Amino acid sequence: MTENPITVAGIVIPSDDATFLTIVALHVLFALASVVTGLFAMLSNKGPGRHPTFGAIYYWCLTATWISATFLAVMRWADDYHLFVLGTLSFAAASYGRMAHHERWDNWIRLHLTGMGASYVLLLIAFYVDNGKNLPLWRDLPPITYWLAPTLVGASLIVNAWFRHPLAHRPR
């Protein structure tokens, strides 16, 4: 793989290799689909209909995002291994949340909420860690912000949902 960086929309892509660029393009499409469908799943009324539909699309788009991230990390391991770790944790958290729901574990609603919420937060952390230095406003912040901002906002929303969401208080 050649290491000739190119810049697209202000974001530096570390290689102009055709295979790398193809995987990056697919990765960006699946990641954007994950962000959008995850948001729709979170904001939809829970129960049959939109929530499980958007949730399933989120899960499968996240799966494709993780697979493409794995290929990209392997191609540039020394620079991107941390993104592989974040992607793997995000995919694992979503799988945990999905299994808690499908297998109806004890306290499955809170476990589902935690797993899916954590997967979304980890997805955003990976984005900001990789791209924050190129984004308006974010580039002026210390790099630790790329990790802490999504973590603090996401964790507070998850904890709030544990205590306030009506489904989290259903009898088991």
Side-chain angles (χ1 to χ4, degrees), residues 68-80:
S68 61
T70 299
F71 280 108
L72 292 170
V74 167
M75 294 173 90
R76 301 184 71 250
W77 188 256
D79 296 313
D80 292 342

Side-chain angles (χ1 to χ4, degrees), residues 47-72:
R50 287 188 177 143
H51 177 75
T53 299
F54 283 119
I57 296 168
Y58 167 76
Y59 180 79
W60 292 112
C61 286
L62 182 67
T63 301
T65 301
W66 174 67
I67 291 167
S68 61
T70 299
F71 280 108
L72 292 170

Side-chain angles (χ1 to χ4, degrees), residues 1-25 28 72 76 130-131 133-134:
M1 182 175 78
T2 61
E3 291 288 329
N4 298 320
I6 60 174
T7 303
V8 177
I11 295 179
V12 177
I13 299 174
S15 175
D16 63 355
D17 179 78
T19 302
F20 185 81
L21 291 174
T22 300
I23 297 170
V24 166
V28 168
L72 292 170
R76 301 184 71 250
D130 195 36
N131 299 295
K133 62 189 173 292
N134 300 311

